[in-house]
Amino acid sequence: MRLRNKPWAVKLVDEHPESVLQDPNPEIKIDWEKRFEDFSRPLEVEIGSGKGQFITTLAQKHPDRNYIAIELQTTAAGIILRTKLEKKLDNLQILRGDAISIASFFAENSVDVLYLNFSDPWPKTRHEKRRLTYKDFLKNYETILKPTGHLEFKTDNSGLFSYSLMSLNNYGMMFDFVSVDLHHESEEIVAKNVETEYEHKFASKGNPIYALHAHFN
Ligand code: SAM
């Protein structure tokens, strides 16, 4: 998803360095403790948040947890920031940058949950390394997740889903939940699900939504 550049969003991001960290230097440790009111709370991170419907909903629902949205595009980061400011979500921070450097963004064993929602599929074989479930990314996730932590992944793309199942399995991850039609699971599972923008769009067209939860051994 490439959003059209919105000058207001770029300006808003520049005006709020206390809420948005831009292109952090991988050599310098990020002081997250300074950015959150209470850093002892559980920490949940979404990679590729887009306009932020998912992470802002979670941050509003769970004021007792901390959230970080990682997003490449400044316009998308600005849209997330606007919602954060409107809803006064003090437990949400935005990192405008590339998840390729995720291992430098967080201390080892510091993240409770990592969310990958409707990640870019990169269908060409020569782009496999860019998929967010490629083994090199998994290695970084393993480093930053707490031993009790886990990964949650949703997509409408069957190719990316089957690739991810194989990649996680080959890496030795354990699956806690797998669905090939999330929106038609039990009432309890459906009620707990928080939709993303993409999920809403594809599910409205009748496309199945694939999901998995997994942890490292
Ligand atoms: N998660 C949202 C949803 O489900 O509606 C947006 C999905 S959109 C297809 C993928 C998003 O991931 C885009 O906003 C894109 O800019 C972001 N993205 C892609 N690769 C990324 C990376 N390496 N680091 C950070 N963000 C990334």
Side-chain angles (χ1 to χ4, degrees), residues 109-154:
N109 305 327
S110 64
V111 176
D112 289 272
V113 189
L114 262 178
Y115 298 102
L116 303 178
N117 290 320
F118 297 79
S119 309
D120 295 336
W122 295 108
K124 291 187 180 143
T125 309
R126 69 171 192 274
H127 292 146
E128 181 191 0
K129 290 184 178 174
R130 299 187 192 177
R131 297 177 196 153
L132 292 179
T133 48
Y134 179 65
K135 61 177 170 28
D136 289 2
F137 278 100
L138 300 182
K139 192 164 183 275
N140 290 333
Y141 305 158
E142 184 176 23
T143 307
I144 62 170
L145 273 172
K146 292 179 183 170
T148 51
H150 74 278
L151 179 78
E152 299 195 9
F153 172 62
K154 292 195 278 191

Side-chain angles (χ1 to χ4, degrees), residues 3 14 20 22 66 82 90 100 104 107 134 172 183 204:
L3 289 175
D14 286 340
V20 187
Q22 300 208 63
N66 291 329
R82 183 175 60 183
D90 295 335
I100 196 134
S104 70
Y134 179 65
H183 288 205
S204 321

Side-chain angles (χ1 to χ4, degrees), residues 59-72:
Q60 192 166 25
K61 269 178 104 159
H62 304 288
D64 53 339
R65 300 182 198 168
N66 291 329
Y67 291 91
I68 297 172
I70 302 179
E71 174 51 54
L72 210 48

Side-chain angles (χ1 to χ4, degrees), residues 5-212:
N5 188 42
K6 292 189 198 296
W8 68 261
V10 178
K11 185 167 173 279
L12 192 67
V13 165
D14 286 340
E15 286 168 355
H16 287 275
E18 79 295 345
S19 295
V20 187
L21 195 57
Q22 300 208 63
D23 282 331
N25 180 343
E27 304 297 321
I28 301 170
K29 195 173 158 281
I30 300 173
D31 189 355
W32 290 114
E33 202 156 346
K34 208 172 73 185
R35 294 184 154 263
F36 286 102
E37 200 179 293
D38 178 1
F39 196 55
S40 68
R41 295 171 183 158
L43 179 63
E44 306 196 355
V45 176
E46 184 185 26
I47 303 177
S49 299
K51 296 180 191 169
Q53 178 176 317
F54 176 82
I55 197 137
T56 57
T57 306
L58 282 189
Q60 192 166 25
K61 269 178 104 159
H62 304 288
D64 53 339
R65 300 182 198 168
N66 291 329
Y67 291 91
I68 297 172
I70 302 179
E71 174 51 54
L72 210 48
Q73 299 180 66
T74 310
T75 293
I79 295 170
I80 305 171
L81 174 61
R82 183 175 60 183
T83 310
K84 171 193 155 90
L85 298 173
E86 277 168 10
K87 299 192 171 169
K88 299 188 172 32
L89 303 172
D90 295 335
N91 59 338
L92 172 65
Q93 283 281 317
I94 301 151
L95 190 155
R96 214 274 302 132
D98 193 329
I100 196 134
S101 306
I102 194 163
S104 70
F105 298 159
F106 301 101
E108 283 180 25
N109 305 327
S110 64
V111 176
D112 289 272
V113 189
L114 262 178
Y115 298 102
L116 303 178
N117 290 320
F118 297 79
S119 309
D120 295 336
W122 295 108
K124 291 187 180 143
T125 309
R126 69 171 192 274
H127 292 146
E128 181 191 0
K129 290 184 178 174
R130 299 187 192 177
R131 297 177 196 153
L132 292 179
T133 48
Y134 179 65
K135 61 177 170 28
D136 289 2
F137 278 100
L138 300 182
K139 192 164 183 275
N140 290 333
Y141 305 158
E142 184 176 23
T143 307
I144 62 170
L145 273 172
K146 292 179 183 170
T148 51
H150 74 278
L151 179 78
E152 299 195 9
F153 172 62
K154 292 195 278 191
T155 182
D156 66 306
N157 188 298
S158 58
L160 181 64
F161 191 65
S162 46
Y163 169 82
S164 302
L165 282 172
M166 271 191 297
S167 180
L168 271 60
N169 186 55
N170 290 344
Y171 196 86
M173 290 184 75
M174 310 292 286
F175 295 95
D176 305 306
F177 173 75
V178 174
S179 173
V180 290
D181 197 357
L182 180 64
H183 288 205
H184 293 98
E185 293 289 350
S186 69
E187 253 180 57
E188 193 194 343
I189 290 174
V190 173
K192 265 196 355 208
N193 182 45
V194 172
E195 272 192 350
T196 79
E197 289 100 35
Y198 268 60
E199 181 172 359
H200 184 72
K201 188 167 100 186
F202 292 120
S204 321
K205 287 187 193 162
N207 296 9
I209 303 299
Y210 306 95
L212 67 82

